[in-house]
Amino acid sequence: MNNHLKALRAERSWSQADLAEQLGVSRQTVNALETGRYDPSLPLAFKIAHVFGQPIESIFTED
Amino acid sequence: MSKKLASVLTRTVIGIAVFVVVVFAAGIAAGYLSARGTIASDQAVFWLVAVVSVSAMVGAMAISVAWMRSIDEAAREAHKAAWFWGGCGGMAVGGVLVILTSLPQAGTLSFPSWLDGRTDPAAYAATGAFAIMLLMLMGYAVVWAWWWITRMRD
């Protein structure tokens, strides 16, 4: 699964730690999400969508 | 360190302190009852160790639940994958040993047990249980490290 997390985070000038705090996960998890090495659960995906104010399908796309 | 994890660590330290006090009190009670002749000393030791081991395992499970709830989903996923694949891998290795030692030809082999060289059936059963646990833990450690390094590195 691909995602635009890094770009969305950069637009807001947030660090990985900033985003991690808002999502309630570790910074390493945010890094793993951004690099596509870890796919989030559905609840986390919804939380990410809520934080960025966008629908899930605009943040995550199929390979 | 997250607040949740810090809270778990604090409760763990308190739990260990309570456990030490319970063990100390149980030891005194067992010694007193044994000295009075209410129960035999062997029985006292057995019941003391039974209480201590059950308390320790219940405490360990309680800590595990709290700790698992305090970590984020990726860290939980690492442990789940490690227990499934590492645990199954460890059991597979142990399964080969179980099959081989069940052969009649293995009856002539003499293995030292891990319990102070004891050779009674209970000691061998405990040695087998320890061996399976060790293999599963080794598998768990390997898979957990692989999962973490491949996904969570910067």
Side-chain angles (χ1 to χ4, degrees):
Chain A
M1 196 159 66
N2 298 315
N3 67 72
H4 313 297
L5 280 179
K6 196 169 185 176
L8 290 168
R9 179 173 63 76
E11 285 170 11
R12 289 156 179 79
S13 302
W14 292 344
S15 67
Q16 287 186 339
D18 294 333
L19 179 57
E21 194 176 337
Q22 294 185 69
L23 296 174
V25 299
S26 67
R27 189 199 58 76
Q28 288 95 332
T29 296
V30 168
N31 185 57
L33 288 166
E34 285 185 355
T35 52
R37 291 195 289 252
Y38 175 71
D39 291 333
S41 67
L42 202 49
L44 181 56
F46 271 110
K47 201 181 271 187
I48 291 167
H50 178 74
V51 165
F52 288 117
Q54 295 190 14
I56 289 177
E57 61 269 27
S58 72
I59 301 173
F60 297 97
T61 53
E62 280 185 294
D63 282 329
Chain B
M1 183 187 297
S2 72
K3 285 178 184 173
K4 281 184 184 175
L5 196 55
S7 166
V8 172
L9 283 175
T10 304
R11 282 183 285 162
T12 300
V13 170
I14 293 169
I16 290 170
V18 171
F19 176 71
V20 168
V21 171
V22 168
V23 169
F24 187 69
I28 289 174
Y32 176 74
L33 293 173
S34 176
R36 276 190 59 183
T38 309
I39 55 172
S41 60
D42 277 358
Q43 278 183 317
V45 169
F46 174 82
W47 285 111
L48 174 64
V49 174
V51 167
V52 168
S53 56
V54 168
S55 304
M57 292 304 116
V58 168
M61 284 306 298
I63 290 167
S64 298
V65 169
W67 177 72
M68 199 67 167
R69 284 178 177 169
S70 73
I71 58 180
D72 75 8
E73 67 166 59
R76 270 200 296 270
E77 202 59 39
H79 289 295
K80 285 189 233 171
W83 269 122
F84 183 79
W85 294 111
C88 286
M91 273 197 290
V93 174
V96 172
L97 297 177
V98 168
I99 291 167
L100 287 177
T101 52
S102 68
L103 290 172
Q105 290 87 335
T108 57
L109 298 173
S110 180
F111 295 104
S113 82
W114 294 353
L115 296 183
D116 201 23
R118 278 168 47 191
T119 54
D120 52 286
Y124 281 128
T127 301
F130 280 140
I132 291 291
M133 282 170 62
L134 185 64
L135 288 167
M136 290 177 73
L137 281 169
M138 286 167 65
Y140 165 84
V142 168
V143 175
W144 183 88
W146 168 80
W147 197 101
W148 198 263
I149 290 166
T150 54
R151 287 169 179 79
M152 305 297 267
R153 71 181 186 280
D154 279 328

PDB file of all heavy atoms in Angstrom, chain A residues 24-29 31-32 37-38 40-41 44, chain B residues 72-75 77 147-154:
ATOM      1  N   GLY A  24      -0.934   9.092  18.663  1.00  0.00           N
ATOM      2  CA  GLY A  24      -0.788   8.197  19.815  1.00  0.00           C
ATOM      3  C   GLY A  24       0.044   6.968  19.515  1.00  0.00           C
ATOM      4  O   GLY A  24      -0.191   5.881  20.041  1.00  0.00           O
ATOM      5  N   VAL A  25       1.042   7.143  18.618  1.00  0.00           N
ATOM      6  CA  VAL A  25       1.958   6.043  18.298  1.00  0.00           C
ATOM      7  C   VAL A  25       3.394   6.546  18.473  1.00  0.00           C
ATOM      8  O   VAL A  25       3.616   7.729  18.733  1.00  0.00           O
ATOM      9  CB  VAL A  25       1.748   5.525  16.847  1.00  0.00           C
ATOM     10  CG1 VAL A  25       0.338   4.999  16.657  1.00  0.00           C
ATOM     11  CG2 VAL A  25       2.056   6.627  15.822  1.00  0.00           C
ATOM     12  N   SER A  26       4.358   5.643  18.292  1.00  0.00           N
ATOM     13  CA  SER A  26       5.756   6.068  18.428  1.00  0.00           C
ATOM     14  C   SER A  26       6.245   6.723  17.142  1.00  0.00           C
ATOM     15  O   SER A  26       5.654   6.526  16.062  1.00  0.00           O
ATOM     16  CB  SER A  26       6.627   4.851  18.746  1.00  0.00           C
ATOM     17  OG  SER A  26       6.651   3.975  17.646  1.00  0.00           O
ATOM     18  N   ARG A  27       7.346   7.474  17.256  1.00  0.00           N
ATOM     19  CA  ARG A  27       7.921   8.108  16.066  1.00  0.00           C
ATOM     20  C   ARG A  27       8.386   7.043  15.068  1.00  0.00           C
ATOM     21  O   ARG A  27       8.272   7.208  13.856  1.00  0.00           O
ATOM     22  CB  ARG A  27       9.104   8.995  16.479  1.00  0.00           C
ATOM     23  CG  ARG A  27       9.633   9.872  15.357  1.00  0.00           C
ATOM     24  CD  ARG A  27      11.033  10.361  15.646  1.00  0.00           C
ATOM     25  NE  ARG A  27      11.979   9.269  15.868  1.00  0.00           N
ATOM     26  CZ  ARG A  27      12.492   8.526  14.904  1.00  0.00           C
ATOM     27  NH1 ARG A  27      12.143   8.710  13.636  1.00  0.00           N
ATOM     28  NH2 ARG A  27      13.357   7.560  15.176  1.00  0.00           N
ATOM     29  N   GLN A  28       8.905   5.936  15.591  1.00  0.00           N
ATOM     30  CA  GLN A  28       9.347   4.853  14.702  1.00  0.00           C
ATOM     31  C   GLN A  28       8.197   4.312  13.869  1.00  0.00           C
ATOM     32  O   GLN A  28       8.371   3.939  12.705  1.00  0.00           O
ATOM     33  CB  GLN A  28       9.964   3.708  15.521  1.00  0.00           C
ATOM     34  CG  GLN A  28      11.315   4.035  16.117  1.00  0.00           C
ATOM     35  CD  GLN A  28      11.192   4.533  17.537  1.00  0.00           C
ATOM     36  OE1 GLN A  28      10.182   5.109  17.924  1.00  0.00           O
ATOM     37  NE2 GLN A  28      12.222   4.285  18.325  1.00  0.00           N
ATOM     38  N   THR A  29       7.006   4.270  14.480  1.00  0.00           N
ATOM     39  CA  THR A  29       5.840   3.779  13.742  1.00  0.00           C
ATOM     40  C   THR A  29       5.480   4.738  12.614  1.00  0.00           C
ATOM     41  O   THR A  29       5.169   4.308  11.497  1.00  0.00           O
ATOM     42  CB  THR A  29       4.642   3.582  14.701  1.00  0.00           C
ATOM     43  OG1 THR A  29       4.987   2.560  15.647  1.00  0.00           O
ATOM     44  CG2 THR A  29       3.384   3.170  13.958  1.00  0.00           C
ATOM     45  N   ASN A  31       7.533   6.678  11.050  1.00  0.00           N
ATOM     46  CA  ASN A  31       8.570   6.471  10.035  1.00  0.00           C
ATOM     47  C   ASN A  31       8.281   5.222   9.203  1.00  0.00           C
ATOM     48  O   ASN A  31       8.395   5.242   7.972  1.00  0.00           O
ATOM     49  CB  ASN A  31       9.930   6.348  10.728  1.00  0.00           C
ATOM     50  CG  ASN A  31      11.064   6.258   9.721  1.00  0.00           C
ATOM     51  OD1 ASN A  31      11.233   7.137   8.886  1.00  0.00           O
ATOM     52  ND2 ASN A  31      11.810   5.171   9.779  1.00  0.00           N
ATOM     53  N   ALA A  32       7.878   4.130   9.890  1.00  0.00           N
ATOM     54  CA  ALA A  32       7.563   2.886   9.172  1.00  0.00           C
ATOM     55  C   ALA A  32       6.353   3.070   8.257  1.00  0.00           C
ATOM     56  O   ALA A  32       6.305   2.516   7.147  1.00  0.00           O
ATOM     57  CB  ALA A  32       7.312   1.757  10.166  1.00  0.00           C
ATOM     58  N   ARG A  37       6.763   0.568   5.073  1.00  0.00           N
ATOM     59  CA  ARG A  37       7.198  -0.724   5.624  1.00  0.00           C
ATOM     60  C   ARG A  37       6.171  -1.295   6.599  1.00  0.00           C
ATOM     61  O   ARG A  37       6.277  -2.427   7.021  1.00  0.00           O
ATOM     62  CB  ARG A  37       8.558  -0.571   6.324  1.00  0.00           C
ATOM     63  CG  ARG A  37       9.698  -0.288   5.358  1.00  0.00           C
ATOM     64  CD  ARG A  37      11.053  -0.505   6.007  1.00  0.00           C
ATOM     65  NE  ARG A  37      11.349   0.512   6.989  1.00  0.00           N
ATOM     66  CZ  ARG A  37      12.247   1.477   6.840  1.00  0.00           C
ATOM     67  NH1 ARG A  37      12.938   1.547   5.723  1.00  0.00           N
ATOM     68  NH2 ARG A  37      12.475   2.354   7.787  1.00  0.00           N
ATOM     69  N   TYR A  38       5.202  -0.479   6.964  1.00  0.00           N
ATOM     70  CA  TYR A  38       4.146  -0.960   7.864  1.00  0.00           C
ATOM     71  C   TYR A  38       2.812  -0.373   7.410  1.00  0.00           C
ATOM     72  O   TYR A  38       2.708   0.846   7.199  1.00  0.00           O
ATOM     73  CB  TYR A  38       4.439  -0.543   9.314  1.00  0.00           C
ATOM     74  CG  TYR A  38       3.323  -0.897  10.259  1.00  0.00           C
ATOM     75  CD1 TYR A  38       3.082  -2.229  10.590  1.00  0.00           C
ATOM     76  CD2 TYR A  38       2.490   0.075  10.792  1.00  0.00           C
ATOM     77  CE1 TYR A  38       2.034  -2.573  11.433  1.00  0.00           C
ATOM     78  CE2 TYR A  38       1.448  -0.252  11.640  1.00  0.00           C
ATOM     79  CZ  TYR A  38       1.226  -1.578  11.953  1.00  0.00           C
ATOM     80  OH  TYR A  38       0.192  -1.921  12.779  1.00  0.00           O
ATOM     81  N   PRO A  40      -1.032   0.501   8.302  1.00  0.00           N
ATOM     82  CA  PRO A  40      -1.776   0.724   9.547  1.00  0.00           C
ATOM     83  C   PRO A  40      -3.050  -0.115   9.606  1.00  0.00           C
ATOM     84  O   PRO A  40      -3.577  -0.542   8.583  1.00  0.00           O
ATOM     85  CB  PRO A  40      -2.132   2.213   9.469  1.00  0.00           C
ATOM     86  CG  PRO A  40      -2.237   2.485   8.012  1.00  0.00           C
ATOM     87  CD  PRO A  40      -1.203   1.622   7.356  1.00  0.00           C
ATOM     88  N   SER A  41      -3.541  -0.296  10.832  1.00  0.00           N
ATOM     89  CA  SER A  41      -4.841  -0.942  11.015  1.00  0.00           C
ATOM     90  C   SER A  41      -5.917   0.040  10.539  1.00  0.00           C
ATOM     91  O   SER A  41      -5.634   1.244  10.353  1.00  0.00           O
ATOM     92  CB  SER A  41      -5.055  -1.276  12.485  1.00  0.00           C
ATOM     93  OG  SER A  41      -5.176  -0.062  13.221  1.00  0.00           O
ATOM     94  N   LEU A  44      -6.306   3.018  12.948  1.00  0.00           N
ATOM     95  CA  LEU A  44      -5.219   3.999  12.824  1.00  0.00           C
ATOM     96  C   LEU A  44      -5.347   4.777  11.517  1.00  0.00           C
ATOM     97  O   LEU A  44      -5.080   5.986  11.480  1.00  0.00           O
ATOM     98  CB  LEU A  44      -3.854   3.307  12.927  1.00  0.00           C
ATOM     99  CG  LEU A  44      -2.628   4.228  12.841  1.00  0.00           C
ATOM    100  CD1 LEU A  44      -2.679   5.335  13.890  1.00  0.00           C
ATOM    101  CD2 LEU A  44      -1.331   3.425  12.993  1.00  0.00           C
TER     102      LEU A  44
ATOM    103  N   ASP B  72       2.208   0.805  21.169  1.00  0.00           N
ATOM    104  CA  ASP B  72       1.362   1.139  20.018  1.00  0.00           C
ATOM    105  C   ASP B  72       1.156  -0.088  19.134  1.00  0.00           C
ATOM    106  O   ASP B  72       1.722  -1.157  19.363  1.00  0.00           O
ATOM    107  CB  ASP B  72       1.893   2.356  19.257  1.00  0.00           C
ATOM    108  CG  ASP B  72       3.120   2.050  18.422  1.00  0.00           C
ATOM    109  OD1 ASP B  72       3.486   0.873  18.305  1.00  0.00           O
ATOM    110  OD2 ASP B  72       3.724   2.985  17.886  1.00  0.00           O
ATOM    111  N   GLU B  73       0.299   0.091  18.100  1.00  0.00           N
ATOM    112  CA  GLU B  73      -0.128  -1.095  17.341  1.00  0.00           C
ATOM    113  C   GLU B  73       1.001  -1.755  16.560  1.00  0.00           C
ATOM    114  O   GLU B  73       0.989  -2.981  16.383  1.00  0.00           O
ATOM    115  CB  GLU B  73      -1.293  -0.749  16.416  1.00  0.00           C
ATOM    116  CG  GLU B  73      -0.928   0.200  15.280  1.00  0.00           C
ATOM    117  CD  GLU B  73      -2.027   0.226  14.224  1.00  0.00           C
ATOM    118  OE1 GLU B  73      -3.160   0.565  14.586  1.00  0.00           O
ATOM    119  OE2 GLU B  73      -1.736  -0.089  13.063  1.00  0.00           O
ATOM    120  N   ALA B  74       1.985  -0.980  16.110  1.00  0.00           N
ATOM    121  CA  ALA B  74       3.090  -1.586  15.363  1.00  0.00           C
ATOM    122  C   ALA B  74       3.939  -2.463  16.285  1.00  0.00           C
ATOM    123  O   ALA B  74       4.343  -3.577  15.914  1.00  0.00           O
ATOM    124  CB  ALA B  74       3.951  -0.499  14.725  1.00  0.00           C
ATOM    125  N   ALA B  75       4.173  -1.965  17.502  1.00  0.00           N
ATOM    126  CA  ALA B  75       4.950  -2.756  18.466  1.00  0.00           C
ATOM    127  C   ALA B  75       4.183  -4.033  18.841  1.00  0.00           C
ATOM    128  O   ALA B  75       4.779  -5.112  18.992  1.00  0.00           O
ATOM    129  CB  ALA B  75       5.242  -1.924  19.711  1.00  0.00           C
ATOM    130  N   GLU B  77       2.060  -5.554  16.913  1.00  0.00           N
ATOM    131  CA  GLU B  77       2.102  -6.416  15.726  1.00  0.00           C
ATOM    132  C   GLU B  77       3.416  -7.196  15.683  1.00  0.00           C
ATOM    133  O   GLU B  77       3.438  -8.362  15.294  1.00  0.00           O
ATOM    134  CB  GLU B  77       1.950  -5.545  14.472  1.00  0.00           C
ATOM    135  CG  GLU B  77       1.472  -6.282  13.254  1.00  0.00           C
ATOM    136  CD  GLU B  77       0.126  -6.959  13.449  1.00  0.00           C
ATOM    137  OE1 GLU B  77      -0.763  -6.385  14.106  1.00  0.00           O
ATOM    138  OE2 GLU B  77      -0.017  -8.091  12.951  1.00  0.00           O
ATOM    139  N   TRP B 147      11.579  -8.615  12.448  1.00  0.00           N
ATOM    140  CA  TRP B 147      10.417  -7.743  12.171  1.00  0.00           C
ATOM    141  C   TRP B 147      10.784  -6.294  12.451  1.00  0.00           C
ATOM    142  O   TRP B 147      10.522  -5.397  11.649  1.00  0.00           O
ATOM    143  CB  TRP B 147       9.247  -8.178  13.056  1.00  0.00           C
ATOM    144  CG  TRP B 147       7.894  -7.657  12.621  1.00  0.00           C
ATOM    145  CD1 TRP B 147       6.947  -8.344  11.939  1.00  0.00           C
ATOM    146  CD2 TRP B 147       7.358  -6.338  12.843  1.00  0.00           C
ATOM    147  NE1 TRP B 147       5.843  -7.532  11.718  1.00  0.00           N
ATOM    148  CE2 TRP B 147       6.069  -6.298  12.248  1.00  0.00           C
ATOM    149  CE3 TRP B 147       7.838  -5.192  13.458  1.00  0.00           C
ATOM    150  CZ2 TRP B 147       5.257  -5.175  12.288  1.00  0.00           C
ATOM    151  CZ3 TRP B 147       7.026  -4.056  13.479  1.00  0.00           C
ATOM    152  CH2 TRP B 147       5.754  -4.056  12.900  1.00  0.00           C
ATOM    153  N   TRP B 148      11.406  -6.061  13.605  1.00  0.00           N
ATOM    154  CA  TRP B 148      11.706  -4.689  14.047  1.00  0.00           C
ATOM    155  C   TRP B 148      12.737  -4.031  13.129  1.00  0.00           C
ATOM    156  O   TRP B 148      12.575  -2.880  12.722  1.00  0.00           O
ATOM    157  CB  TRP B 148      12.192  -4.716  15.493  1.00  0.00           C
ATOM    158  CG  TRP B 148      12.096  -3.364  16.142  1.00  0.00           C
ATOM    159  CD1 TRP B 148      13.090  -2.453  16.278  1.00  0.00           C
ATOM    160  CD2 TRP B 148      10.919  -2.769  16.713  1.00  0.00           C
ATOM    161  NE1 TRP B 148      12.616  -1.321  16.904  1.00  0.00           N
ATOM    162  CE2 TRP B 148      11.285  -1.500  17.175  1.00  0.00           C
ATOM    163  CE3 TRP B 148       9.604  -3.211  16.872  1.00  0.00           C
ATOM    164  CZ2 TRP B 148      10.379  -0.639  17.790  1.00  0.00           C
ATOM    165  CZ3 TRP B 148       8.703  -2.364  17.485  1.00  0.00           C
ATOM    166  CH2 TRP B 148       9.097  -1.090  17.945  1.00  0.00           C
ATOM    167  N   ILE B 149      13.795  -4.774  12.814  1.00  0.00           N
ATOM    168  CA  ILE B 149      14.879  -4.196  12.001  1.00  0.00           C
ATOM    169  C   ILE B 149      14.387  -3.896  10.586  1.00  0.00           C
ATOM    170  O   ILE B 149      14.708  -2.846  10.019  1.00  0.00           O
ATOM    171  CB  ILE B 149      16.102  -5.141  11.968  1.00  0.00           C
ATOM    172  CG1 ILE B 149      16.770  -5.161  13.354  1.00  0.00           C
ATOM    173  CG2 ILE B 149      17.106  -4.733  10.900  1.00  0.00           C
ATOM    174  CD1 ILE B 149      17.763  -6.283  13.533  1.00  0.00           C
ATOM    175  N   THR B 150      13.563  -4.788  10.012  1.00  0.00           N
ATOM    176  CA  THR B 150      13.122  -4.581   8.628  1.00  0.00           C
ATOM    177  C   THR B 150      12.074  -3.478   8.509  1.00  0.00           C
ATOM    178  O   THR B 150      11.926  -2.877   7.442  1.00  0.00           O
ATOM    179  CB  THR B 150      12.542  -5.874   8.010  1.00  0.00           C
ATOM    180  OG1 THR B 150      11.510  -6.373   8.854  1.00  0.00           O
ATOM    181  CG2 THR B 150      13.625  -6.919   7.822  1.00  0.00           C
ATOM    182  N   ARG B 151      11.327  -3.197   9.571  1.00  0.00           N
ATOM    183  CA  ARG B 151      10.239  -2.214   9.443  1.00  0.00           C
ATOM    184  C   ARG B 151      10.477  -0.901  10.192  1.00  0.00           C
ATOM    185  O   ARG B 151      10.045   0.152   9.740  1.00  0.00           O
ATOM    186  CB  ARG B 151       8.929  -2.823   9.954  1.00  0.00           C
ATOM    187  CG  ARG B 151       8.356  -3.865   9.012  1.00  0.00           C
ATOM    188  CD  ARG B 151       7.226  -4.615   9.658  1.00  0.00           C
ATOM    189  NE  ARG B 151       6.648  -5.601   8.749  1.00  0.00           N
ATOM    190  CZ  ARG B 151       7.187  -6.774   8.498  1.00  0.00           C
ATOM    191  NH1 ARG B 151       8.323  -7.115   9.071  1.00  0.00           N
ATOM    192  NH2 ARG B 151       6.613  -7.620   7.658  1.00  0.00           N
ATOM    193  N   MET B 152      11.132  -0.970  11.327  1.00  0.00           N
ATOM    194  CA  MET B 152      11.172   0.197  12.199  1.00  0.00           C
ATOM    195  C   MET B 152      12.495   0.954  12.179  1.00  0.00           C
ATOM    196  O   MET B 152      12.648   1.932  12.918  1.00  0.00           O
ATOM    197  CB  MET B 152      10.848  -0.217  13.648  1.00  0.00           C
ATOM    198  CG  MET B 152       9.529  -0.967  13.787  1.00  0.00           C
ATOM    199  SD  MET B 152       8.099   0.026  13.329  1.00  0.00           S
ATOM    200  CE  MET B 152       7.638   0.677  14.916  1.00  0.00           C
ATOM    201  N   ARG B 153      13.427   0.535  11.348  1.00  0.00           N
ATOM    202  CA  ARG B 153      14.703   1.271  11.300  1.00  0.00           C
ATOM    203  C   ARG B 153      14.494   2.619  10.630  1.00  0.00           C
ATOM    204  O   ARG B 153      13.615   2.767   9.782  1.00  0.00           O
ATOM    205  CB  ARG B 153      15.752   0.441  10.561  1.00  0.00           C
ATOM    206  CG  ARG B 153      15.490   0.338   9.078  1.00  0.00           C
ATOM    207  CD  ARG B 153      16.533  -0.514   8.381  1.00  0.00           C
ATOM    208  NE  ARG B 153      16.345  -0.496   6.955  1.00  0.00           N
ATOM    209  CZ  ARG B 153      15.456  -1.223   6.299  1.00  0.00           C
ATOM    210  NH1 ARG B 153      14.678  -2.062   6.966  1.00  0.00           N
ATOM    211  NH2 ARG B 153      15.337  -1.155   4.985  1.00  0.00           N
ATOM    212  N   ASP B 154      15.338   3.576  11.003  1.00  0.00           N
ATOM    213  CA  ASP B 154      15.245   4.914  10.383  1.00  0.00           C
ATOM    214  C   ASP B 154      15.907   4.915   9.019  1.00  0.00           C
ATOM    215  O   ASP B 154      16.795   4.165   8.751  1.00  0.00           O
ATOM    216  CB  ASP B 154      15.928   5.954  11.280  1.00  0.00           C
ATOM    217  CG  ASP B 154      14.990   6.372  12.401  1.00  0.00           C
ATOM    218  OD1 ASP B 154      13.762   6.388  12.190  1.00  0.00           O
ATOM    219  OD2 ASP B 154      15.489   6.655  13.501  1.00  0.00           O
TER     220      ASP B 154
END
